[in-house]
Amino acid sequence: MNFEFLLIFLFHICTCVIGSELDYDGYLQLQLFHALNDDPVPNYTERGNITVTSIRTGASTIGQMGLQESQKQDLIKLAENNSKYRMKINVRSSSGSESTFLTSVPACHLLGTELEDILAIWVDGSAQPISITQISPGPCSLSSPPTNMWTTNVEVRHPDGGPTPDTASYIYKIEREKEARERGETKDNRSFIAKYWMYILPAVIFVVLSSAANPDAAGGGGGQRQ
């Protein structure tokens, strides 16, 4: 096997292993807490629960409590002060790991979308959450929303696999160079080892294994001398 083709083969094996991790499916349980105060230390109260039943597809079930009238007024006050609506999210994965994430959006954006937001859950290759971001694009508003109920969409986002290598062009280039060398059009400037490593390596392995299997023979006749 040509050395270049061996490298390509190993690269594809690594790529397949990484890709297989992204096919792992599991679930996530999220506990949502929000802070409607404007103090430096947030006073978190329960907002609801979300269960992502399939990390691969993003399917989820959502149960949230509506805002009480006093809470809605607190949200409006946050918007008037140009303050943030803050969330704390406790997550438990199907593997049993637990983690906590903090996120926030301008309070006026939630009023502008009538309490509609998006929770973007970023997971790594082993389907573990690494970031959760609350998104509410607005527009900004200071008016009281016509509803007390949250409308939340959940998006599970996977890491990009990166650009795919152009192996076909590389293999074509190697084949053309090989044909040129066989026709004598291109001088092979590689070292002796680079040219004949596929023959040298088995011989070296054979010698090492033979020496390990016969340690007495390696000592020769010197053991008889006094």
Side-chain angles (χ1 to χ4, degrees), residues 1 31 52 146:
M1 180 183 292
Q31 289 183 300
V52 179

Side-chain angles (χ1 to χ4, degrees), residues 7 23 30 42-43 57-58 66 96 110 114 134 194 222:
L7 289 178
D23 294 333
L30 284 68
N43 179 26
T57 64
L110 292 172
E114 299 180 357
Q134 183 188 25

Side-chain angles (χ1 to χ4, degrees), residues 59-195:
S60 60
T61 57
I62 302 173
Q64 299 187 93
M65 296 175 288
L67 287 176
Q68 300 175 4
E69 190 59 35
S70 60
Q71 292 177 317
K72 185 187 291 188
Q73 294 303 316
D74 289 338
L75 183 61
I76 294 173
K77 183 177 180 180
L78 286 177
E80 291 173 344
N81 293 336
N82 196 29
S83 298
K84 298 279 189 179
Y85 168 87
R86 293 169 287 183
M87 285 188 68
K88 179 177 72 173
I89 305 168
N90 296 334
V91 184
R92 181 180 178 86
S93 69
S94 52
S95 65
S97 64
E98 298 182 358
S99 51
T100 299
F101 300 93
L102 302 176
T103 183
S104 65
V105 294
C108 65
H109 285 193
L110 292 172
L111 298 179
T113 58
E114 299 180 357
L115 304 184
E116 182 174 354
D117 60 0
I118 300 170
L119 285 183
I121 306 172
W122 293 89
V123 297
D124 60 15
S126 59
Q128 296 300 312
I130 55 177
S131 175
I132 299 180
T133 303
Q134 183 188 25
I135 303 171
S136 183
C140 188
S141 174
L142 300 180
S143 301
S144 177
T147 178
N148 292 346
M149 295 303 300
W150 296 99
T151 301
T152 299
N153 299 299
V154 176
E155 298 180 358
V156 178
R157 302 183 179 181
H158 303 273
D160 287 335
T164 303
D166 188 5
T167 54
S169 298
Y170 182 71
I171 292 174
Y172 178 82
K173 176 183 177 182
I174 295 299
E175 286 293 333
R176 299 290 77 77
E177 292 178 353
K178 180 180 178 181
E179 292 176 0
R181 286 196 299 268
E182 291 175 350
R183 293 194 301 265
E185 297 176 3
T186 302
K187 184 179 179 181
D188 193 347
N189 294 320
R190 294 180 299 168
S191 66
F192 178 82
I193 295 177
K195 290 180 183 178

